[in-house]
Amino acid sequence: MTPAGHRTIPVDPATAVLLTPLPIHDVTLRGFWGERQRLNRDKVIPHCDEWLERAGWVGNLRAAVDGTLATNRVGRLFTDSEIYKIMEAMAWEVAREPSPRFEARLAELSRLLTEAQAADGYLNSFYDYPGGPERYSDLEWGHELYCAGHLIQAAVARLRAGHDDALVAVARAAADHICREFGADGRDGICGHPEIETALVELYRATGERRYLDQASRFVERRGNRTLGDTMYGGRDYYQDDVCIRDAPVLVGHAVRALYLTAGAIDVAVETGDQALLEHLAAQFDRTVERRTYLTGGMGSHHHGESYGEDFELPADRAYAETCAGVASVMVAWRLLLATGEPRYADIIERTLYNIVATAPSDNGDAFHYVNTLHRRSMSVLPDPNHPSLRRTDGMRAAWFTTSCCPTNIARTLASLGGYLATVDGRGLQVHQYVDGEIQATLPDGRGVGISLETAYPLDGMVRLRVTQSDGEPWALSLRVPGWTEKATLRYGATTHQLAPGTATVTEAWQVGDELTLDLGMTPRWVRPDPRIDAVRGCAALERGPLVYCLESADQHEVDLNLVEVDTSAPFAVREPDDLPGSLAIIVSGTVRDEATGGWPYLPSQTGRPARQVKLTYVPYHRWGNRGPSAMRVWTPAVGGP
């Protein structure tokens, strides 16, 4: 259990917000997400840790201790950050469930960091050694503060689990160095890759030391003053330094940078009581979701710069939708949910969790998507499993990348996932994501409440809730009704209620054993794009519950997916595929046209080209690519239906 006085929780506002998150100990996961947490613990984290050694990135720290960085350093300039993210993942895991293996590894790495750290608190294996680059000589691309931010995040995880140990001492020394170096009397600079902002606020929350919050606020306010140099990736908006964050109407530039900055700015706004900034950030993110986000929740439509496009510039076959951007989007939406209570933020979290976060790791936990395209025209390419991959867009998950930010981000997210699912307020308990498992919580007045959830979600939309702890006094149980559902019902006692999307709240003097049944319905549904999304106009995509579906060539070997049309007026058939256990496939009717024999591809009409009827098998998007090289598409030209 968590030691007294500590809340093992990834986001823990010190200032009162509308909803209070729960420690990861208060949520037990089984089913879909429980299986992925076990996979993360047993395979993903050890796999990443092995590659950190294999690629030589931990060796960089040893070289820093030995004084051999000039000849022995390998990898890109931000490799330290991946070590810190795996340390954070281990810290959450041992807080959730003891692990002597992870504890020993954390101690080993912490000793190494202690030895590598400079006397003034500076720590980075790419800079500040004889013959190497000078520290803070390249704020645009150097990632020094970004790396320090991830170090601090790992230490916050340890602190919140009650361990004030060597890792915490290293991180606090690094944070104090940054406050001196970039404080009111120091460098008037910012990092080209935001992350330090959120880290410093969380360290303030964990320690109560105001200087960390003040420094985070300085970094946020310095954005947009054009202090960073210009870049070929769309100018200074690439790293959000072209316009003050209070003036920018929508997220621009590198998607991960923009989202990390937004998360940090929300944290600053909450802790400083800056309601105007908070409202602006919410509007900024809302516009981004409404105009610059893929059906899967993915963000980033430009390969050049891993960045946002213009409004409605969302080409399926050029979707970048980096896994890290999905993680960062969840971070932003969760903070806005806590601050506003608006269920639409839980909706985007659900969409992104099931269709980006769950898509990234392979079923075996030993390979990962960096990019999450929505259309793979040709067969994906198998990467070399023995070397870090340079290629992120080949359609197959790779064991490791030369830039491996995504696998480690997935590891720390899954390890701390229990802290993103439910909240409490003065009225009672709120359930935002549906999992098979248990929730125990303490209300602000000190009363303990608890529920169990029994569900096969997302295979099934039926969620049975049972009260497991209550003192018999009234409290409110609030359930999110997803925006995608059309026929949701809630039954408790002898009454069944029809529910509209939003929030359903029942206030009762609950007794242990009281039950409710939420039925969200899981009828497959076709969705159409906004006509301003020119790249997929005239197409349809298939969804069922929170899952986006796709066509994969593994299920239709004789069909060129580039030549199919779906009939959205035809009935569906649903079955469990033999080679994707635990999923449901949806069978639809469609046609495939004969391939043109050659010649000019632009004709007055294509209607004369022969077509034949076919049955098309859709599978959950998060499972694609697990059966070997494949072509794939989410959006398909459509006939029939509305």
Side-chain angles (χ1 to χ4, degrees):
M1 296 299 291
T2 306
H6 295 274
R7 285 168 51 83
T8 310
I9 189 169
V11 182
D12 192 16
T15 300
V17 287
L18 196 64
L19 303 178
T20 300
L22 302 183
I24 62 175
H25 284 107
D26 287 356
V27 181
T28 301
L29 301 180
R30 297 187 293 265
F32 186 95
W33 289 112
E35 292 167 3
R36 279 153 183 80
Q37 272 200 329
R38 285 192 296 274
L39 181 70
N40 188 52
R41 183 183 181 91
D42 296 342
K43 297 292 292 288
V44 173
I45 295 174
H47 174 89
C48 291
D49 191 34
E50 176 188 339
W51 268 100
L52 289 170
E53 289 284 5
R54 186 173 176 179
W57 298 354
V58 175
N60 290 336
L61 295 175
R62 298 191 182 102
V65 174
D66 297 340
T68 59
L69 280 172
T71 54
N72 291 344
R73 197 190 188 285
V74 297
R76 302 198 66 182
L77 71 173
F78 40 71
T79 56
D80 293 357
S81 67
E82 313 313 341
I83 301 169
Y84 303 147
K85 280 188 278 183
I86 282 301
M87 293 180 76
E88 181 186 348
M90 291 179 181
W92 292 124
E93 274 298 320
V94 298
R96 194 174 64 83
E97 184 179 332
S99 169
R101 174 185 181 180
F102 289 164
E103 283 284 10
R105 182 59 166 165
L106 282 169
E108 176 188 3
L109 292 172
S110 297
R111 286 193 298 270
L112 188 57
L113 294 175
T114 301
E115 294 173 5
Q117 189 168 38
D120 66 353
Y122 181 84
L123 178 59
N124 192 287
S125 73
F126 193 81
Y127 295 90
D128 201 41
Y129 60 87
E134 293 183 9
R135 61 171 72 172
Y136 305 126
S137 58
D138 184 6
L139 288 175
E140 287 82 4
W141 303 103
H143 287 73
E144 288 158 281
L145 298 180
Y146 167 84
C147 290
H150 281 300
L151 168 64
I152 293 167
Q153 294 278 46
V156 166
R158 286 298 277 174
L159 263 178
R160 288 193 172 144
H163 301 280
D164 195 349
D165 57 8
L167 173 58
V168 174
V170 168
R172 292 193 67 163
D176 290 341
H177 161 78
I178 290 166
C179 291
R180 292 191 303 270
E181 191 76 13
F182 291 89
D185 299 323
R187 298 173 186 262
D188 185 22
I190 55 175
C191 185
H193 198 310
E195 211 289 327
I196 188 64
E197 299 83 357
T198 290
L200 286 172
V201 177
E202 293 295 351
L203 186 58
Y204 156 73
R205 290 167 168 172
T207 66
E209 297 289 347
R210 176 77 189 198
R211 63 184 177 278
Y212 302 135
L213 173 60
D214 291 342
Q215 188 58 48
S217 183
R218 285 190 195 97
F219 283 137
V220 169
E221 295 300 340
R222 287 174 184 173
R223 287 278 160 183
N225 293 326
R226 303 173 70 83
T227 58
L228 298 175
D230 208 350
T231 171
M232 65 179 178
Y233 295 120
R236 290 180 178 87
D237 67 358
Y238 172 76
Y239 25 52
Q240 299 76 45
D241 194 37
D242 59 327
V243 176
C244 171
I245 196 170
R246 297 175 184 272
D247 297 327
V250 68
L251 298 188
V252 299
H254 186 270
V256 179
R257 284 169 165 84
L259 289 160
Y260 278 0
L261 176 61
T262 303
I266 293 169
D267 288 337
V268 167
V270 166
E271 298 300 348
T272 61
D274 193 336
Q275 187 63 26
L277 176 59
L278 179 62
E279 291 175 358
H280 179 77
L281 294 168
Q284 195 182 64
F285 185 68
D286 289 347
R287 181 182 174 112
T288 303
V289 169
E290 293 163 1
R291 295 167 177 257
R292 300 188 174 194
T293 301
Y294 283 98
L295 181 67
T296 54
M299 294 187 182
S301 55
H302 285 182
H303 287 225
H304 184 69
E306 303 179 323
S307 58
Y308 290 101
E310 298 297 324
D311 287 354
F312 304 106
E313 184 187 353
L314 295 164
D317 57 350
R318 296 295 292 169
Y320 201 77
E322 184 183 342
T323 294
C324 283
V327 169
S329 174
V330 170
M331 291 167 56
V332 171
W334 179 247
R335 285 162 167 80
L336 290 174
L337 176 62
L338 298 181
T340 69
E342 292 290 341
R344 67 179 181 275
Y345 297 121
D347 279 355
I348 192 65
I349 289 171
E350 177 181 68
R351 181 172 294 276
T352 307
L353 283 176
Y354 281 105
N355 301 296
I356 297 292
V357 172
T359 304
S362 67
D363 285 350
N364 294 326
D366 58 1
F368 308 87
H369 279 313
Y370 188 109
V371 169
N372 295 279
T373 186
L374 275 72
H375 185 180
R376 176 76 192 178
R377 292 180 175 274
S378 58
M379 297 293 281
S380 45
V381 179
L382 279 171
D384 182 345
N386 298 313
H387 294 89
S389 178
L390 279 166
R391 300 166 63 170
R392 309 168 188 171
T393 61
D394 285 347
M396 288 296 292
R397 298 172 179 88
W400 201 245
F401 298 92
T402 53
T403 300
S404 255
C405 49
C406 296
T408 54
N409 235 348
I410 287 294
R412 69 178 185 135
T413 300
L414 290 175
S416 60
L417 185 62
Y420 290 93
L421 306 180
T423 57
V424 293
D425 65 6
R427 300 175 302 152
L429 172 68
Q430 301 84 42
V431 179
H432 304 290
Q433 305 299 334
Y434 296 109
V435 297
D436 191 79
E438 313 281 339
I439 298 174
Q440 291 182 311
T442 302
L443 301 182
D445 62 7
R447 290 188 294 157
V449 300
I451 60 171
S452 66
L453 298 92
E454 181 183 344
T455 182
Y457 200 85
L459 285 179
D460 191 331
M462 191 76 70
V463 185
R464 295 177 177 86
L465 303 101
R466 181 177 180 274
V467 176
T468 58
Q469 183 179 3
S470 180
D471 62 3
E473 294 296 319
W475 53 274
L477 177 60
S478 297
L479 306 174
R480 178 179 62 93
V481 183
W484 51 259
T485 188
E486 296 179 351
K487 296 180 179 179
T489 61
L490 179 64
R491 185 176 73 251
Y492 61 96
T495 308
T496 298
H497 302 267
Q498 302 292 322
L499 303 178
T503 302
T505 300
V506 183
T507 302
E508 294 281 352
W510 298 106
Q511 303 295 318
V512 172
D514 285 349
E515 293 187 355
L516 305 87
T517 301
L518 176 68
D519 186 357
L520 297 174
M522 285 288 186
T523 303
R525 62 189 181 277
W526 292 108
V527 295
R528 303 278 184 161
D530 186 296
R532 290 169 289 185
I533 307 176
D534 297 276
V536 291
R537 187 182 297 176
C539 294
L542 188 61
E543 295 182 322
R544 182 178 181 272
L547 301 181
V548 173
Y549 272 67
C550 68
L551 289 172
E552 191 175 1
S553 58
D555 298 299
Q556 31 261 324
H557 299 285
E558 306 302 321
V559 173
D560 183 346
L561 296 184
N562 296 306
L563 294 171
V564 299
E565 291 181 332
V566 292
D567 182 356
T568 57
S569 65
F572 300 106
V574 179
R575 66 173 178 83
E576 183 173 350
D578 294 334
D579 52 358
L580 287 178
S583 293
L584 290 177
I586 302 173
I587 316 302
V588 305
S589 297
T591 59
V592 58
R593 294 190 179 277
D594 290 346
E595 185 175 354
T597 57
W600 185 242
Y602 307 103
L603 303 175
S605 173
Q606 297 286 346
T607 56
R609 184 174 295 169
R612 56 188 172 88
Q613 299 293 316
V614 292
K615 291 293 184 181
L616 299 171
T617 299
Y618 280 78
V619 296
Y621 173 78
H622 73 263
R623 299 297 299 277
W624 96 273
N626 276 290
R627 297 173 288 180
S630 185
M632 180 275 299
R633 68 185 307 154
V634 169
W635 291 103
T636 308
V639 297

